[in-house]
Amino acid sequence: MAEDPQRNFRSAYYEKVGFRGVEEKKSLEIVLKDNPLDVEKLSTFSQRFPLPSMYRIHVWKVLLGILPPHSDSHALVSRCRLQQFQDISSALTAMRFTHTHTPPTELYLRMYQLENQRLPRRSEPRPADDEDENFLAISRAMEEIVDDPVDCYWLVRCFLNQFKLKFGDSIPHLPKSLEHFLSQEDACLLAHLKASGSLHSLPYRLWFRRCFAGCLPESSLQRVWDKVISGSCKILVFVAVEILLSYKILLMGISHPDGVYNFLSNIWRVSTAAPGQHRRHRHQSHRPVAQALRDAHARGVR
């Protein structure tokens, strides 16, 4: 198909004056007018471009199966999702697992446990395991992105279910992929991490099990989740590599695995600790994601 010179001119102009997403937004609006929605087209768009904030939650819902492709059914399905949310919440209250002051993220966890037949006995309380902690971390992050608690629960639930179903077998291999790509980008940094024993102590669970929830600012996290929800887990590797490269100077000065782990686990907390401080860290916390997204696009990662 021949390229449209006028469109190319407009795209170049928009990018030059700072409106790079104008053409992409129009393209997405055209796709969203289809009935039924073409899920593959939405997935491809999300892989190639950041989703406009006004459409992000709606696209996520379709890609995660919360809403069906047929737009005519969205209102009915949304009412059913609300009713199911209320029924499960009421059941937990009746069983005295939750009450009116239960934090929303804890409520979501109990609902998820009940739906998956993992609800513990009230007489035998147990500490949260790794899976529960992952759920809570993603819930807290999603709470900052989504205002409606019903939407928040369904997004977290379906995000985790899809993530485990699609990528459960791939996740254990992501640390090896990280080592491979880091060897190509900076062999010196990789050698230091190996020599100090830090390579196997990187916060892989935070990065690859929680998809950077609690590790990145909301604006960056949303762009990473766009890619994960639309079908790519390799983006997690690219973000991790870019974080390591961005903080290379600091990491080269840390010789103990615990020090590396603690530093990388708390980058975002440090960078937002006090207004006017750590401006370089605050800027760097966004930069790895932008570079990783460019790398993923260049490599055609799916």
Side-chain angles (χ1 to χ4, degrees):
M1 180 183 292
E3 293 185 351
D4 181 353
Q6 186 177 358
R7 185 186 185 282
N8 289 342
F9 171 79
R10 288 199 308 270
S11 298
Y13 173 76
Y14 286 141
E15 184 170 350
K16 184 175 181 181
V17 297
F19 293 97
R20 183 179 180 183
V22 172
E23 288 289 292
E24 286 80 1
K25 180 173 176 286
K26 290 180 179 178
S27 298
L28 178 60
E29 288 173 345
I30 291 171
V31 175
L32 290 173
K33 288 178 181 177
D34 290 342
N35 190 13
L37 294 167
D38 190 323
V39 177
E40 186 60 34
K41 281 185 181 178
L42 284 176
S43 177
T44 300
F45 182 94
S46 301
Q47 286 292 318
R48 295 187 61 192
F49 309 109
L51 290 169
S53 57
M54 64 186 298
Y55 296 122
R56 173 170 279 117
I57 302 306
H58 181 69
V59 173
W60 282 5
K61 286 181 181 179
V62 174
L63 293 178
L64 291 172
I66 299 168
L67 291 176
H70 291 82
S71 302
D72 298 342
S73 303
H74 285 184
L76 173 62
V77 173
S78 294
R79 288 195 296 272
C80 291
R81 298 294 189 191
L82 171 61
Q83 186 63 55
Q84 189 174 349
F85 179 93
Q86 292 173 337
D87 289 346
I88 299 172
S89 177
S90 297
L92 287 167
T93 301
M95 292 187 289
R96 298 183 182 178
F97 272 97
T98 61
H99 49 78
T100 54
H101 300 295
T102 299
T105 52
E106 184 179 335
L107 170 63
Y108 304 153
L109 174 61
R110 295 305 186 194
M111 291 174 67
Y112 188 70
Q113 290 174 332
L114 179 59
E115 285 200 289
N116 289 276
Q117 301 180 353
R118 293 183 56 247
L119 192 67
R121 295 182 180 180
R122 290 185 62 247
S123 59
E124 299 176 4
R126 59 174 176 78
D129 58 21
D130 287 347
E131 186 173 347
D132 292 342
E133 291 292 351
N134 295 341
F135 183 97
L136 289 169
I138 291 175
S139 295
R140 287 190 288 268
M142 191 69 80
E143 241 189 345
E144 298 297 316
I145 299 171
V146 184
D147 294 326
D148 183 80
V150 178
D151 284 346
C152 188
Y153 171 68
W154 283 107
L155 284 164
V156 173
R157 173 191 183 275
C158 294
F159 176 64
L160 279 167
N161 285 345
Q162 177 180 281
F163 186 74
K164 287 189 286 187
L165 180 63
K166 280 190 173 183
F167 308 125
D169 293 336
S170 301
I171 298 304
H173 304 291
L174 294 186
K176 202 66 181 176
S177 294
L178 181 145
E179 182 179 348
H180 168 72
F181 287 114
L182 186 58
S183 70
Q184 295 181 331
E185 297 291 337
D186 197 318
C188 181
L189 176 57
L190 177 60
H192 170 74
L193 293 174
K194 285 184 174 180
S196 63
S198 302
L199 184 63
H200 298 296
S201 302
L202 298 178
Y204 293 125
R205 184 161 64 95
L206 305 183
W207 292 349
F208 301 151
R209 298 285 181 180
R210 300 182 184 180
C211 302
F212 291 94
C215 301
L216 290 174
E218 172 192 328
S219 58
S220 295
L221 188 64
Q222 291 178 49
R223 297 184 66 189
V224 174
W225 285 5
D226 285 347
K227 312 306 175 191
V228 176
I229 289 172
S230 58
S232 170
C233 68
K234 275 291 182 69
I235 186 63
L236 301 175
V237 174
F238 288 125
V239 173
V241 169
E242 290 302 328
I243 285 176
L244 295 174
L245 295 175
S246 294
Y247 293 98
K248 173 182 175 177
I249 295 175
L250 290 169
L251 291 172
M252 293 292 284
I254 304 175
S255 57
H256 196 278
D258 289 343
V260 171
Y261 179 88
N262 291 332
F263 172 75
L264 292 173
S265 299
N266 293 282
I267 290 174
W268 178 233
R269 296 184 187 90
V270 170
S271 66
T272 57
Q277 295 182 7
H278 309 293
R279 292 181 181 176
R280 184 182 177 189
H281 282 7
R282 208 162 33 237
H283 171 71
Q284 283 180 309
S285 62
H286 291 269
R287 189 174 66 190
V289 174
Q291 183 60 48
L293 293 173
R294 286 193 292 270
D295 287 350
H297 180 59
R299 297 175 189 268
V301 169
R302 279 299 302 250

